[in-house]
Amino acid sequence: MSFKIPYGRQHITEDDVQAVVAALKSDFLTQGPRILAFEQAFAQYVGAKYAVAVANGTAALHLCALAVGVEAGSKVITTPITFSASANCVGYCGGEVVFADVDPKTALLDIEKVKVLLEKSPKGTYQGIIPVDFAGYPINLEKFRQLADEYELWIIEDACHAPGGYFVDSKEQQQYCGNGLYADLAIFSFHPVKHIACGEGGMITTNDKVLYDQLVQLRSHGITKSPGLLRENHGGWYYEMHNLGYNYRLTDLQAALGVSQLQRADERIARRREIAEKYDKAFANTSVGVMPMPAQQGVHAYHLYVIQVNDRKGLYDDLRQHQIFAQVHYIPVHLQPYYTQFGWKAGDFPQAEQYYSRCLSLPMFPTLSNEEQDFVIEKVLKFCQ
Ligand SMILES: *Cc1c(COP(=O)(O)O)cnc(C)c1O
C-alpha cells in the first residue's frame, strides 16, 4: 500500500473554500464582521457567554495570563503533559510556572498532586491553575473550581484539544469544555491539526464581562474607542490606549474559515469518536495500552488517540517505514532545557515521565479512511505481538 498517513490533518470542504473567497471579495480583510460572527458562533458552540478571537492559541494564553494579572512573583500551577505554550504564557508575564504530576489513568493534571502543592505552602503562594483537557479528555473542572475557591485561585482552562467535549458534573449536567462555568477563562487553537482549522487562530471564552472587556482591549494594543471608557474625547478620530496591549487580532479571512469549519464540527467529532471506538476494540486484550474515557463521565473530543506501548521508539520507527507518521504528545514540559534551567529535572514527576516513555499518538482525524485505519491497526498489532 502507498498511503502516507499523518497523525492529524485538517478537513477543508468546498464550502470552506467559498467562505474564504467571499471574505476576500468583501470590504474587510481584517477587523470586519466575520470576527464577531465567528466569536458569537463559537461562544454558542461551547456554551459560553463571551468569546474573543485572537491570532493563535498561544496569544490566547498570553492575553488570559495578562487579564488575570500574572506578573513577576506570581506562581501558577500546570501540567507537564501539554504543549509548552500552556506553561510559557506564565513566563511571558514574568511569573513562575510550578508543575504538578499527572494522573496515570488519564495523563491529565492530577488534582490530588495539586492539593499537596497547595497544602504545603501558605495561602496566597499560588495565584492560579492552568488545567489542560489533554488529548480531548475533558478535565473535571467542578472539582478544580472547589479547590481553586478554597485557595482563591483563578483557572485558565487550556481547551485546545477539546472543543465539543464535555464532562458530567455532580448535578448530572453536561459541562462543555470552555463553557466558562467553572473556569474563569478558556482558550482554543485553530491550528490545522486541531478540530477547527483557520491556518492559525485562537479563541478565548469566558462568562465574565470584566475579563471580556479587558481581553478585547489587550488584543488590539490596549486601545479603546468605547465612549463609556474614554477619559476625554477630542472628536471622531479619538481613541485612548489604557494598557500595554498587543496586535493579536485574527483576520476576517481566518474568521470566515472558522465560521464555515464550525458548521461541521459536530460531524467531525462524531467521526473522531467512531475512529477511537474502532481502535479501542482492536487493541482490547492486547499488549497495546489504551486510555478510553468512561462513557458516563462525559464525551471525549479525541484530538489525539494515544496508545501506550513498551517499545515506543521501535513502534514509531516501524510505523514510519510504512508511511504512518505517528507522533509523541508530549515530551514533559519540565524536561525541556528552557525549564530545566529553573531546577526542574528528571524524576520530579514520575507519572508524567513514565507516561512519556510509552506514549504514541496514532493517526486520528475525521478524513482517515476505514482502509487507512485498518492498515494502521494491522501494523501496530503486528509490531506489538
Ligand atoms: C496547540 C496548542 C496550543 C497553542 O496553540 P497555537 O494556536 O499553536 O498557538 C496551546 N496548548 C495546547 C494544549 C495546544 O495543543
Side-chain angles (χ1 to χ4, degrees):
M1 279 199 242
S2 61
F3 299 126
K4 198 165 184 177
I5 313 177
Y7 85 91
R9 175 192 277 159
Q10 71 273 22
H11 176 211
I12 301 294
T13 65
E14 190 49 37
D15 285 348
D16 294 337
V17 172
Q18 291 312 319
V20 177
V21 170
L24 271 170
K25 291 179 175 169
S26 76
D27 288 341
F28 294 92
L29 297 188
T30 192
Q31 290 181 282
R34 286 174 175 85
I35 300 294
L36 194 62
F38 187 30
E39 289 172 339
Q40 285 174 347
F42 194 84
Q44 192 180 15
Y45 180 62
V46 301
K49 275 196 191 144
Y50 309 104
V52 182
V54 294
N56 54 63
T58 305
L61 282 160
H62 186 188
L63 293 190
C64 286
L66 287 169
V68 296
V70 177
E71 57 187 8
S74 302
K75 283 191 177 195
V76 177
I77 300 168
T78 193
T79 167
I81 298 299
T82 185
F83 182 56
S84 43
S86 314
N88 296 349
C89 63
V90 177
Y92 295 160
C93 305
E96 183 188 335
V97 177
V98 179
F99 297 100
D101 211 350
V102 298
D103 179 340
K105 289 192 298 295
T106 59
L108 300 179
L109 181 62
D110 186 342
I111 194 165
E112 297 305 323
K113 299 287 165 42
V114 175
K115 263 185 209 164
V116 169
L117 262 183
L118 293 170
E119 282 163 3
K120 268 199 323 214
S121 310
K123 247 188 187 176
T125 302
Y126 295 95
Q127 273 72 58
I129 313 177
I130 305 178
V132 179
D133 301 304
F134 171 68
Y137 194 121
I139 197 159
N140 188 319
L141 285 177
E142 185 184 24
K143 292 184 178 155
F144 272 94
R145 183 78 259 170
Q146 283 160 3
L147 187 64
D149 284 347
E150 205 180 313
Y151 287 87
E152 291 170 31
L153 310 173
W154 46 255
I155 297 174
I156 297 171
E157 175 188 9
D158 183 337
C160 283
H161 295 184
Y166 63 80
F167 73 96
V168 177
D169 72 7
S170 63
K171 297 180 206 80
E172 302 282 308
Q173 300 293 307
Q174 297 175 358
Q175 301 298 347
Y176 277 82
C177 296
N179 74 358
L181 185 68
Y182 294 115
D184 300 274
L185 295 158
I187 71 105
F188 296 88
S189 163
F190 306 124
H191 182 279
V193 297
K194 310 286 165 74
H195 291 65
I196 293 159
C198 291
E200 297 281 353
M203 193 73 81
I204 305 165
T205 55
T206 183
N207 289 346
D208 185 322
K209 177 76 164 58
V210 174
L211 287 174
Y212 169 75
D213 287 338
Q214 246 177 304
L215 290 164
V216 168
Q217 268 195 33
L218 286 168
R219 165 178 66 183
S220 200
H221 309 284
I223 283 174
T224 185
K225 282 193 88 167
S226 262
L229 297 173
L230 295 175
R231 291 172 201 177
E232 297 176 25
N233 197 343
H234 304 172
W237 68 87
Y238 190 71
Y239 63 82
E240 286 174 359
M241 188 194 127
H242 289 169
N243 292 295
L244 190 60
Y246 296 81
N247 177 355
Y248 278 169
R249 295 186 300 259
L250 192 73
T251 66
D252 271 51
L253 306 183
Q254 293 164 309
L257 184 51
V259 170
S260 180
Q261 283 263 298
L262 200 50
Q263 285 167 9
R264 285 194 177 75
D266 282 335
E267 222 173 272
R268 287 194 302 259
I269 292 251
R271 175 63 186 143
R272 284 175 184 273
R273 290 169 49 73
E274 203 174 85
I275 292 167
E277 241 171 74
K278 184 164 166 174
Y279 278 139
D280 285 346
K281 276 205 192 115
F283 301 138
N285 308 314
T286 72
S287 69
V288 179
V290 296
M291 317 177 79
M293 175 171 182
Q296 73 278 13
Q297 287 180 22
V299 157
H300 195 306
Y302 285 110
H303 163 54
L304 303 173
Y305 187 88
V306 180
I307 58 169
Q308 302 252 291
V309 292
N310 291 331
D311 184 6
R312 190 265 311 279
K313 181 164 189 306
L315 178 58
Y316 173 90
D317 290 340
D318 183 73
L319 291 177
R320 278 183 85 92
Q321 294 214 323
H322 294 101
Q323 299 285 84
I324 298 166
F325 295 87
Q327 237 335 326
V328 170
H329 299 94
Y330 290 96
I331 304 161
V333 182
H334 71 286
L335 299 180
Q336 292 294 349
Y338 175 78
Y339 284 101
T340 57
Q341 70 174 314
F342 301 112
W344 301 106
K345 57 187 186 309
D348 283 346
F349 304 110
Q351 300 300 349
E353 291 164 32
Q354 165 72 7
Y355 163 84
Y356 165 62
S357 70
R358 302 182 69 228
C359 69
L360 192 64
S361 306
L362 295 184
M364 166 54 87
F365 50 92
T367 55
L368 182 71
S369 70
N370 289 327
E371 195 186 15
E372 287 170 321
Q373 191 180 6
D374 289 339
F375 181 66
V376 173
I377 291 170
E378 179 199 317
K379 295 301 168 203
V380 171
L381 288 178
K382 190 160 175 213
F383 184 85
C384 292
Q385 248 160 23

